[in-house]
Amino acid sequence: MSKSMVGRQPILDKNEKLFAYELLFRSEQGNKIIDGEQATSEVISSSLESIGLFNLTQNKPAFINFTAPMIKNKIPEILAKESIFIEILETVVVDSDIIESCQELKAEGYKIVLDDFEFKEEWIELIKIADIIKIDFINTTPAQRKEILAVIRSKYNSQVKFLAEKVENHSDLEEAKKDNYDYYQGFYFTKPDIVSGKKVEPFSLSYNNIIKELNKENPNFKKIEKIIKQDLSMTYSLLRLINSAAYGYDINSIRQGIVLLGIERLKKWCLLYSFKKLNNQKPDLLLKTALIRAYFADSLKKYFEIKEDLFVLGLFSLINAYLDRDFEDILAQISLKTEFKEALISRKGKFGSILDIIEIYEKSNWKELKNYSFDTACVFADYLEAIEKGERFFELT
């Protein structure tokens, strides 16, 4: 049975912290739709009913595209004004009815976003009330972008915020920062982007020592306890995790907590904690994405009859973006299963397929699933569960 799905793309603020998600229509039929009304209707119905808006956005605002008829009929009023930004596509024909409807929605407290913006005279009244204007970094030149920003800021709306969309690389991000954009959106923040020649900190000796001990046939929990106690922030993080409702324990002893969590959970916690300390200049979203990948990768193993724990494979799939180094360079210094390394570097074998599937679901490119025989609806449910686990684990550590 065909099932509509919702794609989400993160939007970051100036500090590269998660600000919102743009929600996009996706389906298993290669995203083929009849019209814009159908697309937005599917997004709204999926957000409210089958998936849940909170599950999709983790209580962040949602940017949703609305067509001209939907704006004129005040369809956005179905959703709470605090939960959405109304995106008006560049394909909308702006007339007096559109302007009046947007002005009324604005007066009610809804936020107006102009998407894929190109300056046209008929858009001036919308520019005046817009909260955010999105500038496409692929289909405009740097000179065009500078001119748009200058004209709007000086003549029409000095309070409007600008969003740099389709930020694909580091140079795009640097330009957006230099020109004082308020928000960023693009594959640069979710797809690895390598910046050469940047100095990075190595893994902390503490984390290596713990993982080394956990990998032994008979780990020495007393030794692990001692290592953790030497790091105040690590101690706090572990106790917070163990005492959380997610695990249902109420303890005050590191030793007791270590035993209750067990080896596998300790490994995952230690890997996550080490990632958080590797490079504090990276956005939280990158770490969160890596954690979601870790949970999703481990859930996919049942479809490939894989027995290995794939958490580390998913987590390490973004280590190159986190350290701004090539996989080959990083993995040469890490003790990791050979097949995992081959998958991370060249996407070889069944583990490479796992990584491919993760990216397909991240980008909602469902037509690329035609080469796989599993139940896509079940896998999508696994992906949503991975998002939920990742969000919860991230908040607890």
Side-chain angles (χ1 to χ4, degrees), residues 1-5 25-30 32 42 376-377:
M1 182 179 69
S2 175
K3 179 177 180 179
S4 295
M5 300 175 181
F25 171 82
R26 294 292 184 266
S27 79
E28 295 175 297
Q29 280 69 51
K32 292 180 181 179
E42 290 286 354
T376 55

Side-chain angles (χ1 to χ4, degrees), residues 159-173:
Q159 301 301 312
V160 71
K161 297 182 182 298
F162 286 95
L163 186 155
E165 66 173 334
K166 298 179 183 175
V167 174
E168 299 289 302
N169 52 56
H170 188 68
S171 62
D172 286 345
L173 178 60

Side-chain angles (χ1 to χ4, degrees), residues 324-342:
D324 292 329
R325 294 161 63 190
D326 292 328
F327 271 125
E328 292 89 340
D329 180 30
I330 300 167
L331 298 179
Q333 303 172 26
I334 296 176
S335 176
L336 195 65
K337 186 181 178 72
T338 301
E339 290 84 354
F340 282 5
K341 290 186 177 182
E342 291 176 349

Side-chain angles (χ1 to χ4, degrees), residues 36 43 49 65 85 95 151 170 180-181 187 192 202 251 261 303 314 319 343 367 391:
V43 167
E49 298 168 11
N65 297 327
F85 282 72
D95 56 22
V151 170
H170 188 68
N180 200 30
Y181 281 76
F187 283 143
I251 60 107
L261 276 183
Y303 302 104
I319 189 67
K367 60 184 179 181
E391 297 280 359

Side-chain angles (χ1 to χ4, degrees), residues 73-101:
N73 287 290
K74 300 289 192 66
I75 298 301
E77 292 178 336
I78 294 172
L79 299 165
K81 61 188 177 183
E82 297 84 8
S83 66
I84 67 165
F85 282 72
I86 300 170
E87 285 204 60
I88 304 174
L89 297 174
E90 76 283 3
T91 53
V92 168
V93 177
V94 179
D95 56 22
S96 58
D97 289 337
I98 284 289
I99 292 171
E100 182 179 353
S101 296

Side-chain angles (χ1 to χ4, degrees), residues 245-276:
Y247 286 91
Y249 304 136
D250 185 13
I251 60 107
N252 292 302
S253 161
I254 292 292
R255 177 82 64 86
Q256 182 187 5
I258 290 171
V259 174
L260 284 172
L261 276 183
I263 293 173
E264 292 306 315
R265 282 178 176 170
L266 273 172
K267 283 182 180 178
K268 292 174 181 179
W269 167 78
C270 194
L271 281 168
L272 174 63
Y273 195 84
S274 67
F275 264 58
K276 291 185 74 169

